Amino acid sequence: MPSPKRSIHVVAAVITDARGRILLNRRTESRDMAGLWEFPGGKREPGETSEQALVRELHEELGIEAEVGEWIMDVPQRYPDKDLTLEVRHVRSWKGAPRGREGQAITWVTPDKLARYSMPPADLPVVAALRQPDCYLITPAPDIDEGGLQRWHGQLQQAVASGQQRIQLRLPAEHPQRQGVIEQAVRAHRRGVQWLLNRDIELARTLGVGVHLGSEQLQSLQERPLPPGQLVA
């Protein structure tokens, strides 16, 4: 009989400094997947909480006393000989100066450059999550009168100017000027904004933007409704 698969729980840290950079470790030659970059951390031992395991691992690897912050995500991975769960936590505060205590290289990377680094499969969903905006704007429906539309477009322009990178245009289907309002907004702010249209797959495909699906749409779809490069939420 084949040996039962092992279950391994790994806890990793997204360590961010005051400039928003993220610390990466490089795996040494003595480890599997040598040379790849990863978020620092390690296996949770029996009897340890995730926080205890991460504090221990970061002290061993980097020589810091970390204050473990909020949960970011879990990433399940299946291998021929083991099932791995990567639990990712945020670390924004620590004591000491990070250094590679186990002979590994370390580097600080801005989030927009994380994708340039070769990483193990379990770390890639974390990179994708970190490159997303922390939040995005969902617009209310504009009033139908001309003054209401002007106010709505003015507020949208202010939101873009303030740095909103992702905006969901949520206008009810019965709004008499819905398509024109959406097209005007997208054309006016095409650069620097990731657009999501609420539920309207066809218009999103036509305009080359993203879509936010309703639950009933998710249940009826058999495949991704938009080409790669157009967001689907």
Side-chain angles (χ1 to χ4, degrees), residues 106-192:
I106 67 172
T107 188
W108 290 96
V109 183
T110 55
D112 62 307
K113 294 180 180 176
L114 283 172
R116 301 181 183 181
Y117 290 77
S118 298
M119 305 180 78
D123 291 75
L124 299 180
V126 186
V127 172
L130 293 174
R131 297 182 68 200
Q132 304 298 318
D134 289 339
C135 60
Y136 68 84
L137 174 68
I138 301 175
T139 66
D143 294 331
I144 297 175
D145 63 279
E146 184 175 349
L149 285 173
Q150 290 178 348
R151 287 192 300 274
W152 187 87
H153 282 291
Q155 291 167 346
L156 188 62
Q157 185 171 358
Q158 290 176 2
V160 174
S162 71
Q164 283 288 344
Q165 299 175 331
R166 183 174 295 168
I167 299 175
Q168 182 192 149
L169 294 171
R170 188 170 184 171
L171 280 70
E174 63 272 14
H175 193 285
Q177 297 167 286
R178 181 178 184 278
Q179 183 164 340
V181 170
I182 290 174
E183 291 179 351
Q184 182 179 349
V186 171
R187 284 198 304 268
H189 308 288
R190 172 71 73 171
R191 299 180 63 181

Side-chain angles (χ1 to χ4, degrees), residues 51-123:
E51 291 82 358
Q52 290 169 338
L54 193 53
V55 167
R56 174 182 54 78
E57 288 283 352
L58 295 182
H59 178 71
E60 294 172 358
E61 291 185 12
L62 302 172
I64 62 174
E65 301 295 332
E67 182 178 328
V68 179
E70 70 273 17
W71 174 88
I72 296 176
M73 65 190 303
D74 286 350
V75 182
Q77 289 282 306
R78 291 186 175 180
Y79 297 95
D81 61 335
K82 62 187 176 184
D83 289 334
L84 181 146
T85 298
L86 177 67
E87 178 184 348
V88 186
R89 303 289 293 269
H90 215 139
V91 171
R92 294 185 174 90
S93 178
W94 65 89
K95 295 179 181 178
R99 62 192 188 280
R101 294 185 70 191
E102 299 176 343
Q104 79 276 24
I106 67 172
T107 188
W108 290 96
V109 183
T110 55
D112 62 307
K113 294 180 180 176
L114 283 172
R116 301 181 183 181
Y117 290 77
S118 298
M119 305 180 78
D123 291 75

Side-chain angles (χ1 to χ4, degrees), residues 1 9 35 44 52 54 80 125 140 145 167 170 177 180 186 194 199-201 204 212 225 228-229:
M1 293 179 61
H9 192 115
R44 192 176 72 183
Q52 290 169 338
L54 193 53
D145 63 279
I167 299 175
R170 188 170 184 171
Q177 297 167 286
V186 171
Q194 297 174 326
R199 297 175 178 266
D200 198 330
I201 297 171
H212 180 97

Side-chain angles (χ1 to χ4, degrees), residues 198-201 211-226 231-233:
N198 186 261
R199 297 175 178 266
D200 198 330
I201 297 171
V211 67
H212 180 97
L213 300 171
S215 58
E216 76 287 349
Q217 291 175 302
L218 283 172
Q219 293 174 6
S220 65
L221 290 168
Q222 300 299 315
E223 60 184 13
R224 197 178 193 276
L226 294 177
L231 294 174
V232 177

